[in-house]
Amino acid sequence: MNLTFSDRISGVKPSAIREILKLSTDPGIIAFSAGNPSPDAFPVEAIAQITAKVLRENPVGVLQYSLTEGYPPLREALKTWMDTRCHALREFDDLVVVAGAQQGIDLICKTFCNEGDVILCEDPSFIGSLNCFRSYGAKLKGIPMDGDGIDLALLEEALKTTPNVKLLYLIPNFQNPTGITMSLEKRKAVYALAKQYGALILEDNPYGDLRYEGEDVPTLKSMDEDGIVLYCGSFSKVLSPGLRVGYVLAHKDIIPKITVGKQCTDVHTNILAQHICERYMAEYDLPAHIEDLRVLYRKKRDLMLDSLAKYLHPAVTFTHPQGGLFIWCTLPDGVDMMAYAAEAIKRGVAVVPGTAFLADESASSQSFRVNFSTPSEEAIVKGCKILGDLSREWIG
C-alpha cells in the first residue's frame, strides 16, 4: 500500500518519552523516564463513590452528549478555584473545559498559529507541547534558561528581532524537564516584555499545586491586566490523568474560538469525568488531598536528591526542584549523554535524554531527566545507585 501522509504530520517524530515508556512496561526496568503520578496518589474510593452516585442519580446526564464549553457547575467551580486560590480571574476572563492541558495547548496553537508563525519557548521544554506546535507547522525558537527561569535578555532580543511571533510558551512552576521555578521578578519582567512586543503568553501550569518547599509564586495569569495570558490547568497531577480533564482560562473573546476548534476535535470533554471532578471539588476536600500529595512527593523527591548526591560522580550536577515531579541531571563535557542513557537502560534504568526537550531537534545536550513520582522508594535508591556506578565508570 502506497500511503502519502500530510506535510503536517510527516515531519513530527514520535515522542521520545512515549517510546522510552514502552521500555518501562518491562518489570525489569526502573522507570525514571515516566512522569506519572504515584500509584498511591489516586483517591480511588472517593472516585468510585462519586461514579456510582452520579450514574444512579443522573445516568442520562453523564451518558448523553453535552456542552462543548464544559459542564456548567464544573466551569463555575474552576473559576472560583482560580479566583480564590490563584487570584487569577478577571472580569474579562472565561473558561473552557478540555481533555487535559495537552488538548488546551493544542487548541490554543490551532486558534492562533498559522504555518510558519513563531512560538518562543524555554529551552529545554516539554516535548508534548513542542511536538504539538510542530504539527501545526509553527517554527520553534528556544530561549535558554537561568536558574530562575528564562533568560530575559535573550527573550527580549528574540521578541525584538523575530518576525511573526505569536506565542510565548512557558511552564513557570517546577518546569518540565528542569524542575526550575521562575522567580517573581522574572515573571513580572516577562509579562512586561510580552505586552511591549505584542506576544501572547501561554502559561502551562500542571505542577503548580505540587510545591514541597518555599513560598508560592503568583501565576502570570494573576498579573494579566491586558488579556494576553492564556492559562492551562489540569486535574491530571492532583486527581487523575486518566480522567483527561483540564481547562483553559483566557479572555472571553478567545474562548469561543477555542470552543469552535474543540467542536471539530471531540465535541466535548468526557462528561462523566467532568462530573467526577466537580463532585470531588464540591463534596471532598481537594486542598487536603493536595496536601497529602505534597507529603507523599516531598518524601520521594528528598530520597532521590539524597541518593543522587550519594551515588553520582561529583562532576554530575542536578537541579533541586522546590516541587513538581522532575530532576534535571547534567553530565560533564566529554561524556556522551546518549550513550550513557542507552547503557543505563541496559543496566535496568530508563531516563529521558535531554535532546528530546530541545526546540532544535538537531541540537545536542549533556543532560537527562529523571522522575521521582512514579518509582517506588526502593526503586529510587536502586536506580540512583545504578546511574551513579555508571557515572563513576565513565567519568573516572
Side-chain angles (χ1 to χ4, degrees):
M1 184 166 54
N2 185 21
L3 299 175
T4 303
F5 296 106
S6 69
D7 293 340
R8 172 170 289 175
I9 203 66
S10 295
V12 180
K13 300 176 182 177
S15 166
I17 298 173
R18 293 297 160 193
E19 294 302 305
I20 291 173
L21 279 176
K22 293 177 183 178
L23 297 170
S24 304
T25 60
D26 183 339
I29 296 290
I30 297 173
F32 285 178
S33 52
N36 301 339
S38 168
D40 300 322
F42 304 127
V44 176
E45 186 60 32
I47 291 175
Q49 291 173 359
I50 292 169
T51 303
K53 183 177 180 180
V54 297
L55 285 171
R56 183 175 63 251
E57 297 180 352
N58 187 19
V60 175
V62 297
L63 297 176
Q64 186 57 276
Y65 284 114
S66 191
L67 300 173
T68 305
E69 293 87 348
Y71 178 48
L74 178 60
R75 293 178 70 207
E76 292 307 309
L78 286 169
K79 288 178 184 179
T80 299
W81 178 269
M82 291 299 298
D83 185 23
T84 59
R85 191 173 178 92
C86 301
H87 310 291
L89 184 71
R90 296 286 187 273
E91 290 185 2
F92 55 66
D93 281 328
D94 201 357
L95 183 145
V96 59
V97 179
V98 292
Q102 180 72 44
Q103 187 186 55
I105 291 163
D106 180 273
L107 290 171
I108 288 168
C109 188
K110 183 178 184 178
T111 299
F112 285 101
C113 293
N114 295 313
E115 189 167 346
D117 285 341
V118 176
I119 297 176
L120 305 181
C121 59
E122 297 154 324
D123 207 24
S125 189
F126 173 49
I127 180 61
S129 297
L130 299 184
N131 269 348
C132 171
F133 301 148
R134 291 176 182 126
S135 75
Y136 284 98
K139 296 180 180 179
L140 298 176
K141 186 174 181 61
I143 310 298
M145 300 177 70
D146 300 319
D148 64 343
I150 197 166
D151 185 301
L152 287 176
L154 293 178
L155 173 60
E156 182 167 18
E157 181 67 18
L159 286 166
K160 186 185 301 184
T161 61
T162 307
N164 302 321
V165 173
K166 285 292 182 72
L167 295 172
L168 170 58
Y169 174 66
L170 301 169
I171 311 172
N173 293 316
F174 324 123
Q175 197 248 14
N176 183 0
T178 65
I180 290 172
T181 294
M182 187 183 295
S183 66
L184 176 59
E185 295 74 16
K186 188 157 283 190
R187 293 180 196 219
K188 292 177 179 178
V190 165
Y191 182 85
L193 286 173
K195 179 180 177 180
Q196 178 182 349
Y197 291 99
L200 293 171
I201 297 173
L202 171 46
E203 181 176 17
D204 188 10
N205 191 28
Y207 315 105
D209 287 308
L210 301 180
R211 174 174 284 280
Y212 318 130
E213 64 179 73
E215 298 296 324
D216 286 332
V217 185
T219 62
L220 287 158
K221 186 60 182 167
S222 71
M223 306 172 188
D224 187 18
E225 301 289 347
D226 306 280
I228 63 172
V229 180
L230 300 91
Y231 179 97
C232 282
S234 175
F235 284 95
S236 291
K237 302 305 186 293
V238 297
L239 203 57
S240 160
L243 291 174
R244 305 311 304 136
V245 178
Y247 52 97
V248 175
L249 180 70
H251 193 283
K252 61 185 178 182
D253 292 343
I254 296 172
I255 295 300
K257 293 297 185 183
I258 293 176
T259 302
V260 170
K262 182 171 172 61
Q263 287 171 347
C264 299
T265 302
D266 64 357
V267 183
H268 63 79
T269 300
N270 181 300
I271 187 60
L272 174 58
Q274 291 188 66
H275 275 257
I276 291 170
C277 292
E278 189 275 330
R279 285 295 85 200
Y280 195 93
M281 294 182 78
E283 298 177 2
Y284 294 80
D285 192 338
L286 181 56
H289 174 65
I290 289 172
E291 186 54 42
D292 289 341
L293 295 179
R294 288 174 172 175
V295 172
L296 170 67
Y297 292 141
R298 181 185 299 115
K299 183 179 181 183
K300 299 183 86 170
R301 179 208 60 171
D302 290 348
L303 178 61
M304 179 167 273
L305 288 173
D306 290 345
S307 298
L308 291 172
K310 179 177 181 180
Y311 295 118
L312 284 177
H313 189 286
V316 182
T317 61
F318 51 91
T319 56
H320 184 119
Q322 294 182 316
L325 306 179
F326 306 109
I327 297 171
W328 187 242
C329 303
T330 302
L331 298 167
D333 291 341
V335 178
D336 187 329
M337 183 276 300
M338 292 297 292
Y340 177 90
E343 180 63 25
I345 289 177
K346 292 179 182 178
R347 300 191 186 193
V349 182
V351 302
V352 186
T355 49
F357 304 99
L358 299 180
D360 180 355
E361 294 179 283
S362 66
S364 62
S365 173
Q366 287 301 109
S367 301
F368 58 90
R369 192 194 75 178
V370 293
N371 160 263
F372 52 82
S373 62
T374 306
S376 67
E377 293 181 15
E378 179 183 7
I380 287 173
V381 175
K382 181 179 178 181
C384 288
K385 187 175 188 309
I386 291 172
L387 293 178
D389 290 346
L390 180 58
S391 71
R392 291 176 185 277
E393 290 175 21
W394 283 37
I395 298 171

